[in-house]
Amino acid sequence: MAYAKPMAAYAPVMDTIRGYMERHSGQQAGDPLKAAKAILQLVEMKEPPLRLPLGNDAMAILRHGYKNSAVELERWADLTKSTDFDGLNESDIDHPVLQLQSALKS
């Protein structure tokens, strides 16, 4: 496997990633033929998903990331909302921008 020229500042992180990749190369759980079949199914769909993670590893990473993002969002919600003009009573659950987003999907 070829890599870009190493940079000392990134060595602690990149050495770990490269080591993982080298130890697991050729042992990935993903089946390329099954991935290709899934992608072909997407092409035929009337309303395909915007994104489709492929494989259990992708699901694990995304679930973890989405959960952490939701926790972080709620942790800072009060500070986030404090930046609006005083007197606004717009809902962050049924906000007009969400209505626009929904209309664009249609």
Side-chain angles (χ1 to χ4, degrees):
M1 187 175 288
Y3 299 108
K5 181 180 175 185
M7 296 176 68
Y10 296 105
V13 172
M14 293 310 300
D15 289 349
T16 301
I17 292 171
R18 285 190 183 111
Y20 178 87
M21 290 171 62
E22 288 168 359
R23 286 189 308 277
H24 293 89
S25 182
Q27 301 174 39
Q28 295 87 344
D31 182 334
L33 294 176
K34 288 182 178 180
K37 286 180 183 179
I39 292 168
L40 290 174
Q41 287 179 16
L42 292 175
V43 172
E44 299 296 327
M45 290 180 182
K46 183 177 178 181
E47 295 182 31
L50 180 59
R51 294 173 188 84
L52 181 69
L54 298 175
N56 285 314
D57 55 346
M59 287 291 293
I61 290 167
L62 289 172
R63 278 190 175 133
H64 180 76
Y66 291 159
K67 178 184 170 193
N68 287 344
S69 292
V71 167
E72 187 76 358
L73 179 67
E74 293 308 319
R75 179 178 175 203
W76 297 106
D78 289 339
L79 183 59
T80 297
K81 292 190 241 182
S82 75
T83 63
D84 285 348
F85 285 110
D86 292 337
L88 290 181
N89 293 317
E90 292 182 338
S91 167
D92 61 349
I93 296 170
D94 188 31
H95 194 279
V97 77
L98 296 175
Q99 295 167 10
L100 172 62
Q101 185 180 35
S102 181
L104 292 173
K105 286 182 182 180
S106 303

